[in-house]
Amino acid sequence: MESQGMKKITSVWIITILMLFVVSIVLGILMRLNQGGVIQEQTLTFYSNLTTHGLTMIGIWFVAGMMAVNYLMQRYVRTSFAVNLTALIFTVIGVLLLWLSTFAGKFNAAWTFLYPLPFKDFGASSWATTLFLISLAVFGIGWFIWCISLMANILKKYSLAEAFAWQHLRKEHKTDTPPFILITTVTLIGIITCLIAAVIIIVLFFAEMLSQGRFVNDALLMKNLTYFFGHTIANEMLYLGLAVIYELFAEVSGRPKWKTTWYVSLAWNCSLVFILTAFFHHLYMDFVQPEGLQIVGQLASYLASLPAAGVTVFSVFIAVYRTKIKWSLTNVLFFMGIAGWVIGGLGAVIDATITNNVVLHNTLWVPAHFHTYNAMGNVLFSLAFFYWFSTQSLENIRLSTAAKGLLVTLLIGGIGFLLAFYIGGSDSVPRRYSNYPASLKEAKPLALMGASFAIVYLIAILSFFYNISRRCLKILFASA
Amino acid sequence: MFKNIVCFCLAFGACLQLLAQTKVSALDEESNIYHRVFDAPLTESVSGQKGFLSQQYERKPLILALVYTRCTGICSPFLLQLKDDILFNLRDSSFRVVVLSFDPRDSKADMNSLQKRFGLEGNSQWLFATTDSIRSLNTSIGFAPVWDSLRKQYNHEALLVGINSGGYITKKLIGMRSSHDLEKMVTSIHNVFSPSYRLPGSSTLFSCFNYDPKSGRSTPGLGLLFVGLPAGLALLIVILLRLMVRKQTPAVPDK
Ligand code: HEM
């Protein structure tokens, strides 16, 4: 059962994440306003804001998934409060160091910090790159310990084969693996893998920095490793959200709990393999990468997304189709989030197809699709969990008119914000431009449109922030 | 004890910070790319006519070579190779070559005799010149010759800078390079995309692929191991974890 300590620390996580989320959205809106020509940020400020926004967003929605999974995992195995607290401390220190490197040091190499950008002198302070890498190392250590601890907790109770739900591939089996445990296992292994890739990148960066020119990195190796880490973690954090859905959707809807079947087991086992090789699609433009790996990238991109999406959508569809559902803010957010995840996923698969990538590469199509499955996918999964967590003790939470209004505001804001990216992308407007040249006529108005709708989205998020944080504060200060 | 370890780690980290260099010399060729070149005033060596660099690149894209006449080192072989490549290999008149002295001691006459020595006096594609604003030009192209007062020579790189007709630096080549590299520079000053990749040198230990320029084939390199390593290590960690925790009984019973 969920311990009091775990409830309190989960409350702290939620409040911290929502606060950082609001700041990061404001940075995003400022970027869009700058691209629209309404405000004039210095180029260096734009790029350090881009870096802060990207990495903070990835960081907070990753830990949001982790802490939700950690909280729910107590239903099956005991988890460590101390490790959870350590991860929180490391995350907070990591964010402080990251922000110091970007806001004060003006580190500006974007969240992917692609080699050799961190070594290029665009006006950042000389210490900014080192501090940025240290901040990554701090995140990495905290999260690695967390993943290992959760994995060990699972393996105390389940054998490896059980954790992967392999027994479900046979007709007869004695034990059941809950889908939550299966998805969490698959995801944690993926995260451990990409965190190891991150360690290798950081070591290679430091090796070059400290060798005074005696050791130089191979740009292709660095790019492969960077996307191994970046692409994988960005996808695994979605899977954490899905684990939460598998655990809670049926429960909050008043339906029987979802069970692992052979196809659920097969789909998630496939996802583990394919998600680790899909990152090759980030290297389509790298002519020195052999063609075979490009093809692996395209195939893995399809195969990583289709099985997991297929079984999840199928399960949700079965759960809601022609059945009486107890709709609350929690399951509506889950439902909307799945729609966002699938739509964004389709956008991603379109981009991951080599012939399309020739046109869409590095256009606004890229932020369009990943913002869809993040801002209107994963964020909604986590908001649903936050809401469910903060209202657990309250009976009969129903969809009020105010809640419906809030959802509509979120939808309008989110869709408008994303549409501006999609239209820009299909018009070949490049991504990561601080100012658009006059020749891209539609880029500025689209940026303004994006900023306006993002403000509507922000209003909805502020309302969530207020309501959820208020209840979390109560949990935090409640006596045991 | 714990406090000591933390203090040690912090002190060690601070020392590393002092040692760390965040600007890497191997990236010199990439510095100042797509920056505007300084519009230096030029004095032509033959006619003594005065003008600006912009008047040259606005007419045709430029290749700018930096030399000085008293050089006992790289400048002559460098210029000779450039001349051979352009006159006999490329045979392309879609650009101009400006050979500029970066030594303030060089006069118009010095540059004129250099031009004569290389047999380029009557060649309209080539322009030898001096400037009185070499510092600003050097800063704009990321060129930093260092005066060695003992040898009375400059320590400098053999630098070619490609400049398009908008005055932007599109490519830099350092050292004596093949005509293939020069071709790439010519395409870049005409604003054609030219794929470029830093060639692995002896200090690049972990290349993903080793390219053999003779056969044109790539073979897997040591770096590829690093790409496979994370998955292998993760698997190992999970198996070890299971072996370590197996003996313990479950803390929470089945639901
Ligand atoms: C309404 C909320 C948001 C706004 C206004 C916003 C805005 C932006 C903008 C303007 C960019 C730069 C686009 C370009 O390349 O030109 C960007 C990039 C990015 N955003 Fe967001 N964003 C929002 C939400 C999110 C969320 C929820 C995530 C979650 C992961 C996220 C992650 C990222 C990442 C990873 C980048 C790429 C950064 C880079 O290129 O280094 N954003 N965002």
Side-chain angles (χ1 to χ4, degrees):
Chain A
M1 270 290 98
E2 298 89 2
S3 72
Q4 202 58 27
M6 205 51 103
K7 276 195 173 156
K8 286 185 189 289
I9 197 167
T10 304
S11 301
V12 179
W13 272 116
I14 292 176
I15 296 169
T16 314
I17 290 167
L18 286 175
M19 269 179 352
L20 294 174
F21 186 37
V22 170
V23 177
S24 303
I25 294 180
V26 172
L27 289 179
I29 293 172
L30 288 179
M31 283 191 281
R32 266 332 232 161
L33 287 175
N34 193 66
Q35 291 172 327
V38 175
I39 58 168
Q40 265 87 40
E41 285 179 341
Q42 284 187 348
T43 313
L44 193 59
T45 309
F46 177 91
Y47 286 104
S48 48
N49 283 353
L50 179 72
T51 312
T52 318
H53 169 86
L55 199 58
T56 310
M57 286 289 197
I58 295 287
I60 58 178
W61 296 112
F62 169 72
V63 291
M66 284 291 287
M67 66 93 187
V69 159
N70 190 157
Y71 184 79
L72 293 171
M73 199 188 278
Q74 295 170 102
R75 295 173 164 196
Y76 303 100
V77 294
R78 183 174 293 156
T79 63
S80 161
F81 175 82
V83 170
N84 196 318
L85 181 64
T86 310
L88 176 64
I89 294 170
F90 272 74
T91 304
V92 172
I93 296 176
V95 170
L96 291 178
L97 295 179
L98 166 73
W99 284 16
L100 201 62
S101 77
T102 53
F103 287 132
K106 295 279 175 221
F107 181 80
N108 52 60
W111 93 273
T112 41
F113 58 99
L114 197 59
Y115 177 87
L117 280 180
F119 291 146
K120 289 223 165 193
D121 183 7
F122 294 119
S125 306
S126 57
W127 46 266
T129 297
T130 318
L131 195 64
F132 174 81
L133 292 174
I134 291 174
S135 78
L136 282 189
V138 171
F139 284 134
I141 294 169
W143 298 348
F144 191 75
I145 296 173
W146 203 4
C147 288
I148 293 286
S149 163
L150 291 182
M151 197 68 235
N153 292 326
I154 291 177
L155 293 176
K156 268 183 201 162
K157 181 166 167 187
Y158 301 92
S159 69
L160 265 179
E162 284 167 346
F164 282 116
W166 286 340
Q167 77 277 22
H168 288 272
L169 297 173
R170 292 191 306 266
K171 267 207 178 122
E172 306 288 316
H173 50 86
K174 287 193 200 105
T175 52
D176 268 345
T177 304
F180 176 79
I181 293 294
L182 163 65
I183 302 173
T184 305
T185 304
V186 164
T187 310
L188 286 177
I189 294 176
I191 298 170
I192 292 171
T193 310
C194 66
L195 289 179
I196 296 174
V199 172
I200 300 176
I201 307 170
I202 295 173
V203 169
L204 289 175
F205 263 116
F206 273 116
E208 181 159 339
M209 280 162 69
L210 296 171
S211 75
Q212 309 286 336
R214 284 188 297 275
F215 168 73
V216 173
N217 276 299
D218 178 60
L220 188 65
L221 170 63
M222 294 300 264
K223 187 163 180 185
N224 271 299
L225 284 172
T226 301
Y227 282 103
F228 195 164
F229 159 67
H231 175 270
T232 313
I233 199 159
N235 278 268
E236 298 290 359
M237 67 192 205
L238 274 155
Y239 290 175
L240 291 170
L242 290 177
V244 174
I245 291 185
Y246 272 77
E247 182 63 20
L248 287 183
F249 189 87
E251 184 179 315
V252 294
S253 307
R255 307 281 309 146
K257 224 172 168 138
W258 292 350
K259 292 222 153 45
T260 304
T261 54
W262 68 266
Y263 54 84
V264 170
S265 161
L266 185 66
W268 283 99
N269 276 279
C270 288
S271 290
L272 171 63
V273 179
F274 295 124
I275 200 66
L276 295 180
T277 41
F279 76 90
F280 286 127
H281 64 219
H282 284 273
L283 288 101
Y284 288 157
M285 293 288 152
D286 293 79
F287 56 94
V288 274
Q289 183 98 325
E291 215 171 271
L293 291 183
Q294 316 286 30
I295 294 166
V296 169
Q298 173 163 325
L299 287 177
S301 307
Y302 281 85
L303 294 171
S305 47
L306 293 182
V311 293
T312 308
V313 171
F314 179 68
S315 307
V316 171
F317 183 73
I318 294 291
V320 298
Y321 185 65
R322 290 197 174 178
T323 42
K324 212 163 157 33
I325 290 278
K326 209 174 87 187
W327 286 108
S328 65
L329 205 52
T330 307
N331 49 10
V332 176
L333 281 170
F334 278 144
F335 195 80
M336 278 167 47
I338 288 179
W341 173 53
V342 172
I343 296 168
L346 283 176
V349 168
I350 290 174
D351 192 22
T353 308
I354 294 175
T355 43
N356 300 336
N357 191 267
V358 174
V359 181
L360 296 174
H361 193 90
N362 272 350
T363 64
L364 284 183
W365 189 271
V366 182
H369 76 66
F370 72 67
H371 278 96
T372 312
Y373 52 68
N374 281 311
M376 291 304 281
N378 200 19
V379 169
L380 306 199
F381 298 163
S382 290
L383 282 182
F385 171 79
F386 295 172
Y387 182 77
W388 171 83
F389 169 82
S390 68
T391 54
Q392 268 183 95
S393 52
L394 308 174
E395 291 290 310
N396 282 329
I397 290 281
R398 288 263 160 195
L399 255 187
S400 64
T401 317
K404 283 180 191 157
L406 186 60
L407 287 174
V408 172
T409 315
L410 189 74
L411 263 182
I412 293 176
I415 292 175
F417 161 66
L418 295 171
L419 217 54
F421 273 149
Y422 277 111
I423 300 172
S426 41
D427 249 351
S428 291
V429 176
R431 71 184 283 207
R432 288 179 175 162
Y433 267 38
S434 58
N435 291 302
Y436 295 116
S439 51
L440 295 170
K441 285 196 192 65
E442 66 293 346
K444 280 190 185 207
L446 281 174
L448 267 185
M449 167 183 160
S452 315
F453 278 103
I455 292 171
V456 177
Y457 180 90
L458 175 63
I459 292 170
I461 293 297
L462 283 173
S463 171
F464 273 110
F465 178 35
Y466 173 72
N467 283 308
I468 294 172
S469 304
R470 209 166 36 109
R471 290 197 206 103
C472 284
L473 281 174
K474 271 195 198 139
I475 296 174
L476 187 61
F477 294 112
S479 45
Chain B
M1 179 63 185
F2 181 65
K3 222 191 301 175
N4 290 345
I5 294 174
V6 172
C7 287
F8 173 78
C9 291
L10 286 178
F12 185 65
C15 293
L16 285 186
Q17 163 80 47
L18 289 179
L19 280 176
Q21 52 153 33
T22 48
K23 310 285 175 286
V24 174
S25 60
L27 300 172
D28 281 350
E29 264 188 16
E30 288 153 48
S31 68
N32 300 58
I33 295 289
Y34 304 123
H35 287 202
R36 233 172 207 286
V37 67
F38 173 72
D39 189 11
L42 303 181
T43 308
E44 282 188 38
S45 63
V46 182
S47 61
Q49 212 180 328
K50 295 206 184 278
F52 284 90
L53 191 63
S54 55
Q55 290 164 333
Q56 301 300 326
Y57 61 66
E58 275 164 9
R59 265 196 283 161
K60 273 183 181 178
L62 290 187
I63 290 183
L64 177 68
L66 286 139
V67 297
Y68 70 110
T69 57
R70 292 168 183 78
C71 181
T72 55
I74 187 89
C75 285
S76 290
F78 170 58
L79 213 51
L80 192 65
Q81 191 193 32
L82 185 66
K83 177 190 143 183
D84 282 355
D85 276 339
I86 290 178
L87 294 191
F88 308 117
N89 292 334
L90 289 184
R91 296 165 192 268
D92 180 351
S93 58
S94 63
F95 60 92
R96 294 200 82 193
V97 187
V98 173
V99 181
L100 189 66
S101 164
F102 61 84
D103 183 353
R105 293 171 305 168
D106 276 339
S107 65
K108 173 172 87 67
D110 291 331
M111 288 304 278
N112 193 11
S113 67
L114 184 71
Q115 187 168 8
K116 276 190 193 148
R117 259 203 342 260
F118 280 87
L120 289 165
E121 206 180 15
N123 192 323
S124 62
Q125 192 178 11
W126 292 70
L127 183 130
F128 282 61
T130 53
T131 177
D132 56 14
S133 307
I134 192 65
R135 267 170 192 251
S136 308
L137 184 81
N138 282 351
T139 312
S140 76
I141 58 177
F143 181 56
V146 179
W147 177 247
D148 180 343
S149 53
L150 271 182
R151 293 192 306 126
K152 301 255 179 291
Q153 288 283 303
Y154 282 99
N155 284 328
H156 70 101
E157 277 153 340
L159 177 68
L160 280 185
V161 184
I163 302 167
N164 70 9
S165 48
Y168 288 95
I169 300 169
T170 58
K171 197 170 176 70
K172 284 166 67 176
L173 292 177
I174 294 176
M176 309 267 291
R177 303 290 281 269
S178 66
S179 47
H180 179 67
D181 286 346
L182 200 63
E183 274 169 30
K184 288 270 159 57
M185 176 171 266
V186 173
T187 48
S188 84
I189 58 180
H190 286 105
N191 301 323
V192 177
F193 171 71
S194 59
S196 72
Y197 189 76
R198 179 144 42 103
L199 286 177
S202 55
S203 48
T204 314
L205 301 181
F206 309 121
S207 292
C208 269
F209 299 97
N210 299 318
Y211 176 71
D212 178 5
K214 281 192 194 123
S215 64
R217 295 182 64 186
S218 299
T219 46
L222 205 57
L224 219 48
L225 272 184
F226 286 97
V227 183
L229 194 65
L233 271 182
L235 198 68
L236 195 71
I237 290 174
V238 173
I239 293 171
L240 285 178
L241 266 183
R242 171 63 187 162
L243 292 177
M244 280 160 63
V245 298
R246 190 164 55 177
K247 295 281 175 273
Q248 302 178 17
T249 46
V252 177
D254 257 329
K255 271 201 111 187

